[in-house]
Amino acid sequence: MTKTTKPNTVAQPEDRLLTEEEIRAMGDDDYMNPAQLAFFKNRLQELEKELLKNAGETTEHLRETVLVPDPADRATIEEEHALELRTRDRERKLLKKVQQSLAAIESGEYGWCDETGEPIGVARLIARPTATLSLEAQQRRELKQKLYGD
């Protein structure tokens, strides 16, 4: 199967979403069919909602300024805020990938390796729904980075 055989439609919202087990049980001929695309679209939308909710909670949390006279307590609070901001920065980057994956579903490009055009694979997409490379292409990229640096 190659990228040129991909379907361009997404299942209608009224269709029942498949489970992970049902997705895994499908054959290669069913790769990125409308039911699978609907499953991944739903999973990505849920992840997007969660990330946006976390960002809002962080904003509210950081607005709650507590004046603490003890320097050690103040340092602890500042360190907690710094850790929370680092976490949200990682989530911001993930949110961008989630949104790119949702756009790829709409354009019919989701599930296909950016480098080779081959299927990424259902198991890999279940584990990492924002994957854009097949496992082999990702391993090659990581090996190049390890050997030659960035």
Side-chain angles (χ1 to χ4, degrees):
M1 178 182 301
T2 62
K3 192 174 186 176
T4 57
T5 63
K6 67 182 183 283
N8 281 329
T9 59
V10 177
Q12 298 303 315
E14 65 269 12
D15 294 346
R16 179 185 70 83
L17 289 175
L18 299 176
T19 64
E20 277 189 32
E21 293 76 29
E22 290 171 324
I23 296 282
R24 290 178 193 271
M26 290 180 154
D28 290 343
D29 292 341
D30 293 321
Y31 187 71
M32 290 300 116
N33 66 21
Q36 286 184 355
L37 288 170
F39 171 84
F40 288 112
K41 183 175 184 176
N42 181 51
R43 180 163 279 191
L44 287 161
Q45 286 172 333
E46 291 297 319
L47 182 56
E48 181 181 38
K49 283 182 207 169
E50 180 71 23
L51 292 171
L52 291 171
K53 182 179 124 246
N54 289 348
E57 289 174 0
T58 296
T59 303
E60 287 301 314
H61 183 250
L62 293 176
R63 283 187 183 149
E64 299 169 359
T65 55
V66 179
L67 298 175
V68 183
D70 183 36
D73 289 342
R74 213 172 25 241
T76 300
I77 291 170
E78 287 176 14
E79 186 60 34
E80 288 172 356
H81 285 181
L83 177 62
E84 193 168 354
L85 287 171
R86 282 194 301 271
T87 302
R88 293 306 160 251
D89 187 50
R90 282 194 301 275
E91 287 184 354
R92 179 185 56 79
K93 292 174 185 172
L94 178 57
L95 180 61
K96 183 177 178 185
K97 289 181 181 181
V98 167
Q99 291 167 339
Q100 288 171 340
S101 295
L102 286 168
I105 287 174
E106 294 304 319
S107 70
E109 298 292 317
Y110 185 78
W112 304 93
C113 179
D114 286 349
E115 241 176 56
T116 65
E118 294 295 316
I120 292 173
V122 169
R124 178 160 166 76
L125 289 171
I126 287 173
R128 183 178 293 269
T130 59
T132 57
L133 298 173
S134 66
L135 187 58
E136 296 79 17
Q138 183 66 35
Q139 288 172 336
R140 280 193 304 273
R141 181 174 282 184
E142 288 173 2
L143 182 60
K144 278 184 188 176
Q145 287 176 341
K146 186 176 180 181
L147 291 174
Y148 303 112
D150 212 17

